[in-house]
Amino acid sequence: MKQQFRIPSASARGEVNHHEPVYFAPMERWIENGDLDFVQVRYSIAQRAAEERILPAAAKRGIAVLANMPFEKARLFELVKGRPLPDFAREIDCENWAQFFLKYAISHPAITCAIPATTNPNHVAENMGAMRGELPDRAMRDRMVKHMESIPGFDKLTQTSWYPGKQFAGLVRLPNPRPIG
Protein backbone atom coordinates (compact mmCIF):
# COMPACT_ATOMS: atom_id res chain seq x y z
CA MET A 1 0.00 0.00 0.00
CA LYS A 2 1.39 3.36 -1.02
CA GLN A 3 1.67 5.88 1.81
CA GLN A 4 -0.10 9.20 1.34
CA PHE A 5 1.58 12.41 2.42
CA ARG A 6 -0.42 15.50 3.18
CA ILE A 7 0.83 19.04 2.66
CA PRO A 8 -0.16 21.25 5.60
CA SER A 9 -2.94 23.67 4.80
CA ALA A 10 -2.98 27.37 5.53
CA SER A 11 -4.81 26.52 8.74
CA ALA A 12 -1.85 24.55 10.13
CA ARG A 13 -1.24 25.26 13.78
CA GLY A 14 1.95 26.66 15.27
CA GLU A 15 4.51 26.21 17.98
CA VAL A 16 6.23 28.36 20.57
CA ASN A 17 9.44 27.70 22.46
CA HIS A 18 11.97 29.19 24.83
CA HIS A 19 14.52 27.88 27.30
CA GLU A 20 14.50 30.73 29.84
CA PRO A 21 11.91 30.53 32.64
CA VAL A 22 11.56 34.33 32.59
CA TYR A 23 9.61 33.86 29.33
CA PHE A 24 7.27 31.18 30.70
CA ALA A 25 4.48 33.69 31.47
CA PRO A 26 4.19 34.82 27.82
CA MET A 27 4.47 31.17 26.75
CA GLU A 28 1.58 30.29 29.03
CA ARG A 29 -0.55 32.99 27.37
CA TRP A 30 0.27 31.50 23.96
CA ILE A 31 -0.67 28.05 25.25
CA GLU A 32 -3.98 29.30 26.64
CA ASN A 33 -4.90 31.53 23.70
CA GLY A 34 -2.99 30.27 20.68
CA ASP A 35 -3.65 27.49 18.24
CA LEU A 36 -0.56 25.40 18.91
CA ASP A 37 0.52 21.91 17.96
CA PHE A 38 3.39 21.89 20.42
CA VAL A 39 5.55 23.91 22.75
CA GLN A 40 9.22 23.46 23.50
CA VAL A 41 10.33 24.35 26.99
CA ARG A 42 13.37 23.91 29.19
CA TYR A 43 12.72 21.07 31.58
CA SER A 44 15.09 18.95 33.63
CA ILE A 45 15.52 17.52 37.09
CA ALA A 46 17.35 20.77 37.94
CA GLN A 47 15.00 23.19 36.16
CA ARG A 48 11.44 22.25 37.06
CA ALA A 49 9.74 25.67 36.79
CA ALA A 50 7.69 24.46 33.80
CA GLU A 51 5.82 22.08 36.16
CA GLU A 52 4.08 25.02 37.81
CA ARG A 53 2.01 26.30 34.90
CA ILE A 54 3.41 25.48 31.44
CA LEU A 55 3.04 21.70 31.63
CA PRO A 56 -0.45 21.71 33.20
CA ALA A 57 -1.68 24.32 30.68
CA ALA A 58 -0.31 22.34 27.73
CA ALA A 59 -1.80 19.08 29.02
CA LYS A 60 -5.18 20.74 29.52
CA ARG A 61 -5.18 21.94 25.88
CA GLY A 62 -3.79 18.69 24.45
CA ILE A 63 -0.62 20.40 23.23
CA ALA A 64 2.51 18.29 22.80
CA VAL A 65 5.52 19.34 24.88
CA LEU A 66 9.16 18.95 23.87
CA ALA A 67 11.60 19.22 26.78
CA ASN A 68 14.85 20.91 25.85
CA MET A 69 18.03 20.99 27.93
CA PRO A 70 17.31 17.82 29.98
CA PHE A 71 21.05 17.66 30.78
CA GLU A 72 21.32 21.40 31.49
CA LYS A 73 23.98 21.86 28.82
CA ALA A 74 26.20 19.13 30.39
CA ARG A 75 26.14 20.76 33.82
CA LEU A 76 24.27 17.82 35.37
CA PHE A 77 27.02 15.45 34.21
CA GLU A 78 29.69 17.70 35.69
CA LEU A 79 27.83 17.69 39.01
CA VAL A 80 27.66 13.89 39.21
CA LYS A 81 31.11 13.20 37.72
CA GLY A 82 32.72 10.36 39.67
CA ARG A 83 29.52 9.60 41.59
CA PRO A 84 27.80 6.25 41.26
CA LEU A 85 24.14 6.09 40.37
CA PRO A 86 21.97 5.73 43.45
CA ASP A 87 21.00 2.11 44.14
CA PHE A 88 17.33 2.90 43.56
CA ALA A 89 18.08 3.80 39.91
CA ARG A 90 18.03 0.05 39.18
CA GLU A 91 14.31 0.07 40.00
CA ILE A 92 13.72 2.13 36.86
CA ASP A 93 16.30 0.28 34.77
CA CYS A 94 18.89 3.08 34.61
CA GLU A 95 22.39 2.07 33.58
CA ASN A 96 23.92 5.56 33.55
CA TRP A 97 23.30 9.16 34.55
CA ALA A 98 22.03 10.11 31.09
CA GLN A 99 19.19 7.63 31.45
CA PHE A 100 18.50 8.83 35.00
CA PHE A 101 18.12 12.45 33.84
CA LEU A 102 16.18 11.60 30.68
CA LYS A 103 13.78 9.26 32.47
CA TYR A 104 13.02 12.03 34.91
CA ALA A 105 12.10 14.38 32.07
CA ILE A 106 10.12 11.99 29.87
CA SER A 107 8.18 10.48 32.75
CA HIS A 108 6.29 13.70 33.42
CA PRO A 109 2.78 13.05 32.04
CA ALA A 110 2.76 16.27 29.98
CA ILE A 111 6.12 15.67 28.27
CA THR A 112 5.90 14.19 24.79
CA CYS A 113 9.60 14.11 23.93
CA ALA A 114 12.98 15.20 25.29
CA ILE A 115 15.74 16.75 23.19
CA PRO A 116 19.07 15.78 24.77
CA ALA A 117 21.31 17.17 21.98
CA THR A 118 24.67 15.53 21.45
CA THR A 119 27.38 15.25 18.83
CA ASN A 120 28.74 12.00 20.26
CA PRO A 121 27.37 8.70 18.88
CA ASN A 122 28.23 6.91 22.15
CA HIS A 123 26.06 9.40 24.01
CA VAL A 124 23.21 8.73 21.58
CA ALA A 125 23.39 5.03 22.47
CA GLU A 126 23.35 5.85 26.21
CA ASN A 127 20.43 8.23 25.75
CA MET A 128 18.40 5.66 23.85
CA GLY A 129 18.51 3.39 26.89
CA ALA A 130 16.11 5.79 28.60
CA MET A 131 13.39 4.48 26.30
CA ARG A 132 13.71 0.98 27.73
CA GLY A 133 12.48 -0.41 31.00
CA GLU A 134 10.44 1.22 33.72
CA LEU A 135 9.71 4.92 33.91
CA PRO A 136 9.57 6.59 37.31
CA ASP A 137 6.18 7.24 38.88
CA ARG A 138 5.48 10.35 40.98
CA ALA A 139 7.00 8.84 44.12
CA MET A 140 10.16 7.78 42.29
CA ARG A 141 10.44 11.20 40.62
CA ASP A 142 10.31 12.78 44.09
CA ARG A 143 12.99 10.36 45.27
CA MET A 144 15.18 11.28 42.28
CA VAL A 145 14.88 15.00 43.06
CA LYS A 146 15.60 14.41 46.74
CA HIS A 147 18.75 12.48 45.81
CA MET A 148 19.96 15.24 43.49
CA GLU A 149 19.23 17.86 46.16
CA SER A 150 21.59 15.97 48.48
CA ILE A 151 24.51 16.56 46.10
CA PRO A 152 26.48 19.71 46.95
CA GLY A 153 26.10 22.36 44.25
CA PHE A 154 22.80 21.10 42.86
CA ASP A 155 20.95 24.12 44.21
CA LYS A 156 23.26 26.44 42.24
CA LEU A 157 23.61 24.33 39.09
CA THR A 158 21.47 26.52 36.82
CA GLN A 159 23.66 29.51 37.69
CA THR A 160 26.87 27.88 36.42
CA SER A 161 28.35 28.09 32.93
CA TRP A 162 27.06 25.88 30.15
CA TYR A 163 29.23 23.02 28.85
CA PRO A 164 31.77 22.95 31.71
CA GLY A 165 35.28 22.28 30.46
CA LYS A 166 34.29 22.51 26.79
CA GLN A 167 34.48 25.27 24.24
CA PHE A 168 32.35 25.59 21.14
CA ALA A 169 33.33 28.25 18.64
CA GLY A 170 29.81 28.47 17.24
CA LEU A 171 30.28 25.38 15.09
CA VAL A 172 30.46 21.78 16.18
CA ARG A 173 33.31 19.96 14.47
CA LEU A 174 32.82 16.22 14.28
CA PRO A 175 35.77 13.83 14.15
CA ASN A 176 36.25 12.08 10.82
CA PRO A 177 33.43 13.84 8.96
CA ARG A 178 31.97 11.85 6.08
CA PRO A 179 30.48 13.49 3.02
CA ILE A 180 26.72 13.28 2.75
CA GLY A 181 25.28 11.72 -0.35
Side-chain angles (χ1 to χ4, degrees):
M1 182 168 161
K2 192 173 184 177
Q3 188 170 3
Q4 298 288 320
F5 291 95
R6 189 171 63 91
I7 297 173
S9 68
S11 64
R13 295 164 43 158
E15 57 94 9
V16 63
N17 66 71
H18 210 284
H19 67 276
E20 289 296 336
V22 71
Y23 294 103
F24 285 5
M27 284 183 74
E28 183 182 4
R29 286 193 295 277
W30 272 91
I31 291 167
E32 291 172 349
N33 302 308
D35 191 18
L36 303 175
D37 289 312
F38 69 92
V39 296
Q40 185 181 141
V41 66
R42 180 175 172 185
Y43 183 65
S44 72
I45 198 166
Q47 179 52 264
R48 300 181 305 278
E51 290 177 349
E52 295 169 22
R53 299 180 68 167
I54 297 290
L55 299 183
K60 181 179 176 184
R61 300 274 321 266
I63 297 171
V65 180
L66 304 172
N68 63 36
M69 296 177 59
F71 300 143
E72 289 296 323
K73 303 283 187 182
R75 295 177 292 188
L76 282 167
F77 294 120
E78 184 69 17
L79 184 72
V80 299
K81 188 188 300 184
R83 292 180 179 272
L85 279 171
D87 289 340
F88 67 82
R90 284 183 289 210
E91 296 174 33
I92 54 170
D93 304 303
C94 288
E95 298 173 358
N96 55 56
W97 283 107
Q99 293 168 12
F100 185 88
F101 299 136
L102 283 172
K103 283 189 177 216
Y104 180 86
I106 65 175
S107 65
H108 189 287
I111 298 293
T112 308
C113 175
I115 307 169
T118 185
T119 59
N120 184 323
N122 294 329
H123 294 168
V124 172
E126 287 179 356
N127 297 347
M128 289 175 60
M131 296 186 296
R132 292 188 288 275
E134 294 293 317
L135 286 177
D137 60 13
R138 182 71 245 171
M140 177 60 80
R141 289 168 52 78
D142 291 343
R143 195 171 174 193
M144 294 166 82
V145 169
K146 190 174 194 96
H147 176 78
M148 293 305 297
E149 289 174 341
S150 75
I151 298 175
F154 181 73
D155 61 333
K156 305 248 187 298
L157 183 121
T158 60
Q159 300 163 16
T160 61
S161 298
W162 291 1
Y163 303 111
K166 298 179 183 177
Q167 291 185 355
F168 291 109
L171 178 66
V172 175
R173 288 174 177 71
L174 300 174
N176 304 318
R178 287 177 240 136
I180 298 173

